[in-house]
Amino acid sequence: HELVGLCDRVLVFSRGRVIAEGLKGAQLTEESVIGAFVGSGAQRSRGEEVKAALAATRSRPAALVSGLTSAGLPLLLLTTLMLAMGGYTASRSSTFLAFSNIQSLVLSTMPLALVAMAQLSALLVGGFDISVGSVMSLTVVTASFLAVDGKSAPLVIIGLVLCLGVGLAVGVFNGTLIRGLRLSPVVATIATLSILQGIALVLRATPGGSIDTGFQDRLGSTVGFLPVAFIGIVALAVAADVWLYRSRRGGLLAALAGLFLAAQVGVGDATVGSEFTLTSIAAAVLGGASLFGGRGSFVGAVLGALFLSLIVNIIPLLGLTTAIGQIATGSLTLLAIVLYSGRELWSRMATTLRAALPAAPVAQPEAAK
């Protein structure tokens, strides 16, 4: 199922040779992959083989556990933990459930949710995008020049579109480095991070520029206590999950996250996005993404972002220090890695140990006398 959801083309091997290589597009289905490796030597027809193999696979308890782990379990665990944390905090502080606090919590979640979705696009294929925080910073700086107070609404809209173009340009640049020059995604995006951070500092050595207040007000408009933009982000996450499993393509959202951040900070700041790089990875992992690729969901990334924002929100209400919040975030991220990627993690460790240990000597036959 994961191969079908992530790959554009699949080759099936058996005993060292390719037995199916035309599986792509409409032909790439779970049935065609299983049908290829089941083989044609049995007495039953291929259609009967495939149906029997699928029925057997889906009836196994292990398959059910794997399905829950890859999709529903992370969301269930995070939701349960958030409800428990929220309930405890509400019992200790009446401020937590106040309208203004809940609204502040959701507003602070929005940039992180979008950049976590952007990070998930890289994690799904086993990579990391270290440049997302710098994209956000450069987008904020760009907005402080192109979408400022005093400009007409059409000019502000054009400026915002050009800000999104920053993200598109960075995506093309990273893609050229990774796919064209075959660089490691981590190495390529670290280089991009430095370049973008330098450009942002050249443009805004110190914070400045007033981002259009009308744009800020529109992103902050609410329905009840929920910002309209947050509802849109959740809808985007659901649509992105459907898009991912039907079209096998991700998306660039770091620049859009930068615009949401720009609406919150209100000025051009060349370093404002730096903290989002590692936090976006943590949010995606907490939402069920595997560090080894092949698993995760955009809805889970949004929920992970909400969870991390909740931790930041309740720390002062409970009278705890920021250090405690950082320790809790790191510990929970490690726990999520073990829970959601345990099988892949142990498999990688076993492979590494086997490669490191010396091979057992092979007994040589005694020479004939």
Side-chain angles (χ1 to χ4, degrees), residues 24-111:
K24 59 183 179 179
Q27 297 176 340
L28 182 53
T29 63
E30 191 174 355
E31 288 82 358
S32 64
V33 173
I34 292 180
F37 69 69
V38 164
S40 59
Q43 296 296 322
R44 295 174 298 174
S45 68
R46 176 168 294 277
E48 293 172 338
E49 286 179 332
V50 172
K51 289 179 181 179
L54 282 171
T57 301
R58 289 167 177 165
S59 65
R60 294 171 187 166
L64 177 60
V65 173
S66 176
L68 288 174
T69 301
S70 63
L73 182 58
L75 305 185
L76 178 62
L77 288 177
L78 267 186
T79 302
T80 302
L81 191 54
M82 284 194 294
L83 289 175
M85 291 169 57
Y88 176 74
T89 305
S91 69
R92 299 290 302 273
S93 172
S94 58
T95 306
F96 175 71
L97 293 179
F99 180 93
S100 58
N101 185 64
I102 297 298
Q103 188 179 49
S104 174
L105 168 62
V106 177
L107 285 171
S108 65
T109 300
M110 294 193 297

Side-chain angles (χ1 to χ4, degrees), residues 111-137:
L112 179 56
L114 284 167
V115 76
M117 291 166 66
Q119 190 66 251
L120 177 66
S121 298
L123 287 171
L124 284 170
V125 292
F128 297 92
D129 189 344
I130 310 299
S131 66
V132 290
S134 292
V135 174
M136 294 177 69
S137 294

Side-chain angles (χ1 to χ4, degrees), residues 198-264:
I199 294 173
L201 285 170
V202 168
L203 293 175
R204 288 286 185 198
T206 58
S210 179
I211 295 170
D212 184 64
T213 53
F215 170 64
Q216 298 179 52
D217 292 340
R218 287 183 182 87
L219 283 188
S221 61
T222 62
V223 175
F225 66 89
L226 280 179
V228 175
F230 182 74
I231 298 173
I233 290 172
V234 173
L236 177 62
V238 174
D241 276 332
V242 174
W243 188 26
L244 173 69
Y245 288 105
R246 290 194 176 185
S247 70
R248 300 176 290 280
R249 299 185 186 274
L252 273 176
L253 295 170
L256 184 58
L259 288 181
F260 276 76
L261 185 60
Q264 293 183 11

